[in-house]
Amino acid sequence: MKEVELACEVFRKLLEEQLARIAGMNGEKTDFTTKKQVTIGVIDGDGIGPIITAQATRVLETLLSDEIAAGSIVIKQIEGLTIENRLACGKPIPEDVLAAIKSCDVLLKGPTTTPMGGKMESANVAMRRELDLYANCRPVCIPEKNIDWMFYRENTEGEYVLGSRGVELPGMAVDFKVTTDLGTRRIARAAFEYAKNNGKTHVAVVTKANIMKKTDGRFTAICHEVAKDYPGITVDDYYIDIMTANLLKEPLRQQFQVVLLPNLYGDIITDEAAQIQGGVGTAGSANIGDRYAMFEAIHGSAPRMIERGMGQYANPASIIKAAAMLLRHICRTSAADRLEKAMAKCPVEVRSDGTGVTAEQYTDALISQLS
Ligand code: IPM
Ligand code: MG
């Protein structure tokens, strides 16, 4: 059948591309302890993005004012990553925008709209791939419930890497899932290093290896290989279905510390975890690579809030938490500590139904709490 032949041709090309991708992974890390000037790129995004990103930028400008004046930190606004411009250029990240992004060291990014169906790839997925941001770190912390979780989601492979490159035959559609040894080893290493450096003693490896035998099977095996270098840390395997239940189960859930998982499961379970913390509007997220890193909220662009004229009630806490992670990543630890302390005691709250303060009022209150 001609369609099968064509699909095989596509598959051959995809495999070759993936092998080339692995060959390009080089592992050279940016060292922020010695870097003389750090450029933070700010990308507004779509929908509520510009509203919440503007507030997070104010916070960064306040915390880093001395360094900005001295020139050791540069905050650079990056224009053009809007859904309108992306559709007009026919690219998830227009070339000039990508060049501007690559001129920065780290990025603070508002949510971008992902068109459903069609050919246009998500800007997020494209950015994670272009900058090779392989570790998606998503903390969820609820001290009063004794919950302190850190999710390490693989961010460049799995179902995502070829997510918009599947094939269709008459009466059938096929997508691809890719797990590489190097790709798995580096996310596992990142998760175990985090555990070791933060006094954590347990890593849960979460897959569906009973069904996805090749990809998830390999992921699990490599995580256990890496674990051998961390004798003080115990590792348990869970399947993703029971893990979604376990996050709701007391007292079991309190024992989870670091959760290490492939891309799609990580995407899904981190929304659940964020909801347990109080909603996706409360969670920040770091996308870390060796050269670049990007920090964002875990929620979407909420176009309906804009349509209803409620944009000013978008909660900036998520992206401000991401800004704190950014500060920590560039080794501005005391600024990160100051910000996190102020957030914990900020007396006001933004609510999407408009019954709380606005994003701007919240940020005013937060800035006044900085000590
Ligand atoms: C996330 C988001 C993205 C994802 C979307 C916007 C492509 O849900 O960061 O969790 O699926 O990774
Ligand atoms: Mg998600």
Side-chain angles (χ1 to χ4, degrees):
M1 194 182 176
K2 193 164 150 269
E3 284 87 356
V4 173
E5 300 290 315
L6 287 173
C8 289
E9 260 320 294
V10 173
F11 190 47
R12 168 194 296 279
K13 212 167 144 234
L14 293 178
L15 290 177
E16 284 166 359
E17 269 179 41
Q18 289 307 301
L19 290 170
R21 181 173 66 82
I22 305 172
M25 291 179 186
N26 75 18
E28 236 170 79
K29 286 196 166 58
T30 304
D31 181 358
F32 288 102
T33 56
T34 53
K35 202 163 192 309
K36 296 264 176 305
Q37 186 179 65
V38 177
T39 303
I40 304 174
V42 175
I43 303 171
D44 278 352
D46 301 307
I48 60 169
I51 297 170
I52 59 172
T53 307
Q55 299 312 320
T57 307
R58 278 176 67 203
V59 173
L60 285 179
E61 283 168 350
T62 307
L63 284 162
L64 299 170
S65 56
D66 291 350
E67 284 212 72
I68 293 172
S72 54
I73 298 269
V74 175
I75 297 190
K76 179 169 162 183
Q77 190 73 35
I78 294 174
E79 310 291 343
L81 199 72
T82 58
I83 182 72
E84 296 79 14
N85 193 31
R86 285 185 283 135
L87 288 174
C89 298
K91 292 221 155 127
I93 308 178
E95 254 148 53
D96 54 333
V97 180
L98 185 59
I101 287 173
K102 287 191 170 173
S103 73
C104 302
D105 299 296
V106 289
L107 300 140
L108 184 70
K109 180 185 144 304
T112 42
T113 300
T114 303
M116 206 188 280
K119 278 206 154 45
M120 175 67 72
E121 191 185 36
S122 137
N124 256 33
V125 174
M127 196 179 304
R128 291 166 184 170
R129 189 186 52 239
E130 289 292 341
L131 305 183
D132 205 15
L133 307 175
Y134 58 84
N136 190 187
C137 316
R138 296 186 157 176
V140 163
C141 185
I142 318 167
E144 64 278 14
K145 292 191 176 149
N146 222 354
I147 287 174
D148 187 6
W149 299 328
M150 178 58 106
F151 294 87
Y152 266 79
R153 163 190 177 191
E154 200 293 318
N155 211 23
T156 47
E157 303 198 332
E159 297 78 357
Y160 279 66
V161 64
L162 297 174
S164 48
R165 313 270 305 274
V167 293
E168 283 180 298
L169 282 74
M172 182 163 85
V174 181
D175 278 321
F176 303 107
K177 166 163 172 162
V178 181
T179 296
T180 69
D181 292 6
L182 279 178
T184 306
R185 205 163 279 129
R186 64 185 184 175
I187 182 70
R189 181 74 58 199
F192 280 97
E193 279 296 306
Y194 170 83
K196 186 175 104 184
N197 296 332
N198 291 276
K200 308 288 180 195
T201 53
H202 184 252
V203 173
V205 176
V206 180
T207 66
K208 190 74 183 171
N210 49 343
I211 303 299
M212 296 277 103
K213 292 183 190 294
K214 296 284 180 285
T215 49
D216 287 357
R218 180 85 71 111
F219 188 94
T220 307
I222 290 175
C223 289
H224 282 273
E225 243 175 71
V226 172
K228 288 191 189 130
D229 293 338
Y230 300 84
I233 299 171
T234 54
V235 187
D236 284 312
D237 298 330
Y238 292 88
Y239 294 133
I240 181 66
D241 45 355
I242 193 63
M243 192 64 180
T244 60
N246 286 344
L247 290 193
L248 301 175
K249 190 168 174 183
E250 291 289 4
L252 177 71
R253 65 178 177 173
Q254 298 170 16
Q255 89 180 30
F256 298 119
Q257 298 177 355
V258 179
V259 183
L260 168 57
L261 62 197
N263 208 339
L264 183 60
Y265 312 132
D267 174 48
I268 296 168
I269 209 170
T270 52
D271 270 16
E272 184 198 8
Q275 189 59 40
I276 295 170
Q277 180 179 252
V280 289
T282 66
S285 167
N287 297 264
I288 314 268
D290 291 323
R291 165 76 182 83
Y292 298 101
M294 182 265 278
F295 300 81
E296 61 180 348
I298 82 162
H299 55 75
S301 56
R304 275 183 294 263
M305 279 192 86
I306 298 294
E307 280 160 26
R308 286 190 282 117
M310 296 293 278
Q312 73 271 33
Y313 292 106
N315 192 351
S318 49
I319 194 159
I320 295 176
K321 274 189 192 161
M325 297 176 88
L326 181 155
L327 290 168
R328 220 170 274 293
H329 182 74
I330 61 171
C331 303
R332 270 50 179 191
T333 314
S334 72
D337 289 342
R338 284 176 68 202
L339 177 51
E340 280 169 358
K341 277 197 193 108
M343 287 193 88
K345 61 180 188 206
C346 188
V348 294
E349 206 178 56
V350 183
R351 282 185 227 109
S352 55
D353 62 3
T355 58
V357 299
T358 64
E360 188 173 4
Q361 289 163 341
Y362 169 84
T363 310
D364 291 341
L366 180 67
I367 289 175
S368 72
Q369 295 286 331
L370 290 171
S371 49

